[in-house]
Amino acid sequence: MPDRDTPESPQPPAGLESTAFLLEQVRGGDERARDRLVARFLPLLRRWAHGRLPGHARSLADTDDLVQVSLLRALNHVDGFEARREGAFLAYLRRILLNAVRDEIRRSARRPTQDVEAADLPAPDPSLLEQQIGRDTLEAYEAALTRLTEAQREAVIMRLEFGYSYPQVADAMGRTTPNAARMLVARALVQLAEEMDEHRQG
């Protein structure tokens, strides 16, 4: 029986360990918690990153390496991230990975030899995502995301970009029911559409 005067180690919630709990453990130097976070988020980020690098950049960088480096970089700086909920951490990871993708695209654009005139080079081909929804739409979407509330942004990212179900969104956002998560996503999408229209007209 434990000594009542000795504080017990914090225990994770019943069922799946919460992201906030694992982040706290990582801050304390727990490598197993770090490994569990990597196992949890690496597949999600791999799927998200697939197709975001255009062809001319994909030949220069392995997308999987980019994802792993970005995730490890985020975990190395986890002390600067306030653990709130899974949605917030996922949005944080997305921002780091998106910046890494943009940096890689910029680096790849500077690779041509000096003997080749820039005007003679083909325009950078669009990513698979840009091919599907259009570059202008993607730019409007990214701009609109920044104008949503934090909760709206997390809900949109989880539902649209990472394919979370409504029960998963509810759990990640601390909402009481899947229907509450559904309403949050619905309102966020309405606001997102309005912000995208305003961006295009601006």
Side-chain angles (χ1 to χ4, degrees), residues 19 30 38 40 61 70 84 89 108 111 117 119 129 132 138 142 148 155 160 189 191-192:
T19 296
D30 189 332
V38 169
R40 179 177 298 181
S70 298
R84 294 181 298 276
F89 186 60
S108 69
R111 295 290 181 117
E117 292 292 337
L129 184 63
Q132 291 173 3
L138 184 58
E142 291 291 346
L148 300 181
L160 292 189
L189 290 177
Q191 186 65 32
L192 180 73

Side-chain angles (χ1 to χ4, degrees), residues 11-18 171:
Q11 295 300 311
L16 187 66
E17 292 170 306
S18 75
D171 184 59

Side-chain angles (χ1 to χ4, degrees), residues 29-51:
D30 189 332
E31 288 298 322
R32 288 175 299 180
R34 181 187 178 94
D35 291 343
R36 286 196 287 275
L37 280 174
V38 169
R40 179 177 298 181
F41 288 101
L42 190 58
L44 288 172
L45 295 174
R46 279 175 175 157
R47 287 196 297 272
W48 181 89
H50 177 70

Side-chain angles (χ1 to χ4, degrees), residues 6 35 41 50 53 88 98 100 119 129 145-146 149 157 170:
T6 303
D35 291 343
F41 288 101
H50 177 70
L53 284 172
L98 182 59
L129 184 63
L145 270 183
T146 66
T149 67
I157 287 171

Side-chain angles (χ1 to χ4, degrees), residues 12-111:
L16 187 66
E17 292 170 306
S18 75
T19 296
F21 175 82
L22 290 175
L23 287 170
E24 285 300 320
Q25 298 300 98
V26 170
R27 288 190 184 93
D30 189 332
E31 288 298 322
R32 288 175 299 180
R34 181 187 178 94
D35 291 343
R36 286 196 287 275
L37 280 174
V38 169
R40 179 177 298 181
F41 288 101
L42 190 58
L44 288 172
L45 295 174
R46 279 175 175 157
R47 287 196 297 272
W48 181 89
H50 177 70
R52 292 220 171 217
L53 284 172
H56 73 281
R58 284 196 298 271
S59 63
L60 299 171
D62 183 83
T63 303
D64 191 51
D65 286 345
L66 200 63
V67 171
Q68 291 191 55
V69 168
S70 298
L71 179 52
L72 294 177
R73 183 180 300 161
L75 291 175
N76 287 339
H77 295 88
V78 76
D79 286 342
F81 177 79
E82 180 186 349
R84 294 181 298 276
R85 52 186 178 260
E86 181 177 334
F89 186 60
L90 190 58
Y92 172 70
L93 293 176
R94 176 197 182 274
R95 186 173 69 250
I96 290 175
L97 183 52
L98 182 59
N99 288 337
V101 167
R102 288 170 172 166
D103 288 344
E104 186 58 41
I105 291 172
R106 282 193 290 267
R107 276 195 296 270
S108 69
R110 294 196 295 265
R111 295 290 181 117

